[in-house]
Amino acid sequence: MQINQMPIEARPREKLLSKGATSLTDAELLAIFLRTGIKGLNAIELADMLLKQQGSLGQLFSLECDSFCQQLGLGPAKYVQLQAVLELSKRFFAEQLQREAVFDSPYSVINYLKCELQKEHKEFFYLLLLDSQNRLIKSVNLFQGTINAASVYPREVVTTVLKYNAANVILAHNHPSGIAEPSEADKLITKRLSDALGLIDVSILDHIIIAAGNTHSFAEHGQI
C-alpha cells in the first residue's frame, strides 16, 4: 500500500504534525527522511527493512559513504542529506550549551556528545570548556586512537584550559565497542586530570562516556 493510500492518521508526516515527532517510530521518522520508497516497498516498509538489516538508526547512520550508498533505496544524495542533518544537530546542541548552563540542560550535553562521538569507529577524547556560569566556551577534540592513561597528557589539557580561560570542564570520550562502562584506565585518566586541573583551581564536573545507544556519567555514579 502506498503511503497516500493509508489512513491520514497513520501517515508519518500527518502523524508528526498532529501528535509531534516523539510519537513516531524510528521507521516512520526514517521514512520522512527517505521521502519515497522503491518498487514493491513504500517509504515506511523500506525504512523498516533498512533498520532491520543494520540493527538500529545509529548503525545505519554510522555507515561510511560507500557502504551507505550500497543499501537499497539509498545513494550519494541521501548520504549528503544525512550528513547535513547530523551536522545541524551538532551545531544546534552546541548553540544551546553556549546559551545555557550545562547542568540546566543535561539533555543537550548528552545529545551534543552523541552527535559528535556515537558513530565514530575509533576513540576520541573531547574536552568541553566551560565559563564561570558553566556555559560551553568550546569543545576541543584533544586525542584520538586508543585512549588510555599514557595517551592523554595532563599538560595538554591544562594548556588548553588556560588558553580558553575555562572555569570548569567536562571530559568525554567514546567506546566504539558499544559498552559504556568505564575501564580502569578511564578512572585513572579522570583522577590524573582532576589532580592536574586542581592545581589551577579548575574542576572536572563530569566525565561522560558515549557508546552505541548507551552513556555513562561519572558524576551520576559518584565517581568524580
Side-chain angles (χ1 to χ4, degrees):
M1 180 184 293
Q2 296 299 312
I3 290 179
N4 60 11
Q5 296 174 323
M6 297 169 60
I8 291 178
E9 64 274 10
R11 301 175 193 174
R13 291 181 186 177
E14 286 75 5
K15 186 176 176 182
L16 186 151
L17 289 171
S18 63
K19 298 182 179 179
T22 56
S23 69
L24 274 64
T25 65
D26 287 352
E28 289 170 332
L29 288 169
L30 184 57
I32 292 176
F33 172 77
L34 294 173
R35 295 180 58 194
T36 60
I38 58 174
K39 187 176 180 180
L41 295 174
N42 65 33
I44 299 174
E45 292 165 338
L46 174 60
D48 188 57
M49 184 194 71
L50 289 168
L51 290 174
K52 286 177 179 176
Q53 287 177 344
Q54 298 303 319
S56 68
L57 280 173
Q59 291 289 96
L60 177 64
F61 289 178
S62 66
L63 291 175
E64 298 295 333
C65 183
D66 289 346
S67 298
F68 183 90
C69 294
Q70 289 172 8
Q71 305 304 308
L72 201 60
L74 303 179
K78 286 288 189 292
Y79 181 79
V80 168
Q81 290 173 23
L82 174 62
Q83 295 309 308
V85 168
L86 294 175
E87 184 61 29
L88 283 170
S89 297
K90 285 194 286 189
R91 296 185 189 192
F92 169 75
F93 289 120
E95 189 176 281
Q96 280 192 314
L97 294 180
Q98 287 171 337
R99 294 197 310 261
E100 305 169 357
V102 296
F103 285 110
D104 290 342
S105 55
Y107 172 84
S108 297
V109 177
I110 294 297
N111 281 281
Y112 169 73
L113 291 171
K114 281 183 177 180
C115 288
E116 285 282 0
L117 295 169
Q118 188 166 259
K119 70 184 183 73
E120 299 294 348
H121 297 292
K122 60 182 178 181
E123 288 190 56
F124 288 83
F125 187 92
Y126 272 70
L127 187 65
L128 274 63
L129 300 147
L130 311 175
D131 65 15
S132 59
Q133 296 182 329
N134 290 335
R135 295 174 304 197
L136 183 68
I137 300 171
K138 190 173 182 63
S139 172
V140 181
N141 176 12
L142 276 184
F143 309 104
Q144 57 184 284
T146 300
I147 304 301
N148 55 49
S151 64
V152 177
Y153 305 108
R155 181 170 62 183
E156 289 190 39
V157 173
V158 170
T159 299
T160 304
V161 168
L162 292 173
K163 176 182 177 181
Y164 291 98
N165 195 29
N168 296 300
V169 302
I170 291 176
L171 311 178
H173 76 282
N174 62 312
H175 281 179
S177 66
I179 300 171
E181 192 69 22
S183 65
E184 289 304 314
D186 295 335
K187 296 174 184 177
L188 180 57
I189 289 169
T190 307
K191 177 67 168 59
R192 289 181 64 202
L193 294 182
S194 179
D195 290 344
L197 291 170
L199 296 174
I200 56 171
D201 295 321
V202 172
S203 298
I204 297 175
L205 301 184
D206 204 350
H207 185 168
I208 297 172
I209 299 172
I210 302 293
N214 300 298
T215 62
H216 181 93
S217 162
F218 274 56
E220 286 184 358
H221 289 80
Q223 295 170 313
I224 199 167

